[in-house]
Amino acid sequence: MSAYVVFLIRGSHDHEALTRYRKAAHPTITAHGGRVRVARGAQTLLEGTAPAETVIVEFDSSDKALAWYRSHEYQEANQLRKLAADVDAYVVEGVAPPPA
């Protein structure tokens, strides 16, 4: 079942570092079979508080999503992001298919 890594960017304070993070992180996503599905698109608030930006990355499974996130390559890039922005991140599984 597909799983999605969701990044809710609450705010950024170093746009140059955030740009470096994006350039460093993207190759790690593709190397682990991930696909960026949402990246900083226009948002329309319906309820609550919208983040400054939303990024959603799809993987074939939670195990693959976690393997990517925990990988040495991504964690190197992630250090740039930690310096650049305040982010909430989590993995959520997609909808399970109905039973046959």
Side-chain angles (χ1 to χ4, degrees), residues 1-5 32-35 57-69 91-94:
M1 169 185 335
S2 292
Y4 302 85
V5 178
H32 283 263
R35 298 162 299 282
V57 182
E58 181 181 18
F59 289 88
D60 290 338
S61 67
S62 289
D63 288 343
K64 289 182 180 185
L66 291 170
W68 163 74
Y69 184 83
V91 175
V92 62
E93 290 186 352

Side-chain angles (χ1 to χ4, degrees), residues 28 32 67-78:
T28 71
H32 283 263
W68 163 74
Y69 184 83
R70 295 173 178 158
S71 72
H72 175 74
E73 298 82 10
Y74 177 68
Q75 285 304 310
E76 283 186 357
N78 199 26

Side-chain angles (χ1 to χ4, degrees), residues 33-99:
R35 298 162 299 282
V36 176
R37 296 299 188 205
V38 173
R40 302 174 308 280
Q43 301 179 114
T44 301
L45 180 64
L46 300 176
E47 295 183 29
T49 304
E53 299 177 12
T54 302
V55 176
I56 301 173
V57 182
E58 181 181 18
F59 289 88
D60 290 338
S61 67
S62 289
D63 288 343
K64 289 182 180 185
L66 291 170
W68 163 74
Y69 184 83
R70 295 173 178 158
S71 72
H72 175 74
E73 298 82 10
Y74 177 68
Q75 285 304 310
E76 283 186 357
N78 199 26
Q79 293 306 311
L80 292 169
R81 198 250 329 132
K82 288 179 180 181
L83 296 172
D86 300 317
V87 175
D88 295 322
Y90 56 93
V91 175
V92 62
E93 290 186 352
V95 177

